Amino acid sequence: MQVKIENSWREKLSSEFNKPYFEELTTFIKNECATKTIYPPENLIFSAFDLCPFEKIKVVIIGQDPYHGIGQANGLCFSVSDGIKSPPSLQNIFKEIQTDIGTTPPQTGNLQRWAKQGIMMLNAVLTVESGKPGSHQNKGWETFTDAVIKTISKEKEKIVFILWGNFAINKKNLIDSQKHLILTAAHPSPFSCYKGFFGCKHFSKTNNYLIYNILSPIIW
């Protein structure tokens, strides 16, 4: 795996790339790609960074790991590639947006349009083996993405962190709540969406916070 990542992120994370854990992770991913089908494609692994340079971040959404089905994962949490049916969690996200702010669900589940507006759509684990959810957990990605969250928290101000589900909520201790807005709710999965995701109004709350801080709101 070659680390091809947007320049501002390469500068911010340069120390991570040289650490032993990242070298081991790189070797692991390279070997996996040589013998198995890995998602997302290698050129999209760092899409969350490439589409949202460090200086443009306004919102961070934290996911767990990529979709493991054919053609789904595109490097952004909860997002799928064009032409792929939106998974249930993403359908529920669109339902909440419609209830919250009245926006009609889009025809595509590709959320690149969010990333380009300053939403860092970060999975804690950036790769997965086809058909095997969670297969690349505990290989080093979590150490890397925790460092990403800490860097954003430390070096930025007035960022909205959106944490859905216990996995993401457990990242709260990496974020300075005095400098940033942290929004938490149940995961949008069909198994938990009625336990606090529906009705969370995170999309209007995000825009209200951005507007209050003289930042442009997100076009959801």
Side-chain angles (χ1 to χ4, degrees), residues 28 54 60 112 117 195:
F28 168 76
F54 188 80
V60 178
Q112 288 184 355
Q117 293 179 74
K195 299 178 182 178

Side-chain angles (χ1 to χ4, degrees), residues 52 103 143 157 184:
C52 186
T103 300
T143 302
E157 292 184 351
T184 64

Side-chain angles (χ1 to χ4, degrees), residues 5 13 16-17 21-22 25 46 49 122 124 126 140-149:
I5 194 169
L13 302 171
E16 295 300 312
F17 297 137
Y21 86 85
F22 198 87
L25 172 62
F46 293 101
F49 302 84
L122 183 67
L126 299 188
W141 279 129
E142 295 93 337
T143 302
F144 175 70
T145 53
D146 279 0
V148 172
I149 296 167

Side-chain angles (χ1 to χ4, degrees), residues 11-82:
E11 179 182 338
K12 293 293 181 184
L13 302 171
S14 59
S15 62
E16 295 300 312
F17 297 137
N18 296 321
K19 291 180 179 178
Y21 86 85
F22 198 87
E23 293 180 5
E24 293 173 7
L25 172 62
T26 299
T27 299
F28 168 76
I29 298 299
K30 183 177 180 180
N31 291 338
E32 289 283 288
C33 288
T35 58
K36 303 170 183 175
T37 300
I38 303 302
Y39 299 131
E42 189 170 349
N43 65 313
L44 297 179
I45 290 174
F46 293 101
S47 287
F49 302 84
D50 297 334
L51 293 172
C52 186
F54 188 80
E55 64 274 9
K56 293 187 177 181
I57 301 172
K58 296 188 289 189
V59 180
V60 178
I61 300 177
I62 298 176
Q64 191 160 358
D65 60 358
Y67 297 121
H68 55 88
I70 296 173
Q72 289 182 306
N74 66 356
L76 307 176
C77 68
F78 295 103
S79 175
V80 291
S81 301
D82 288 323

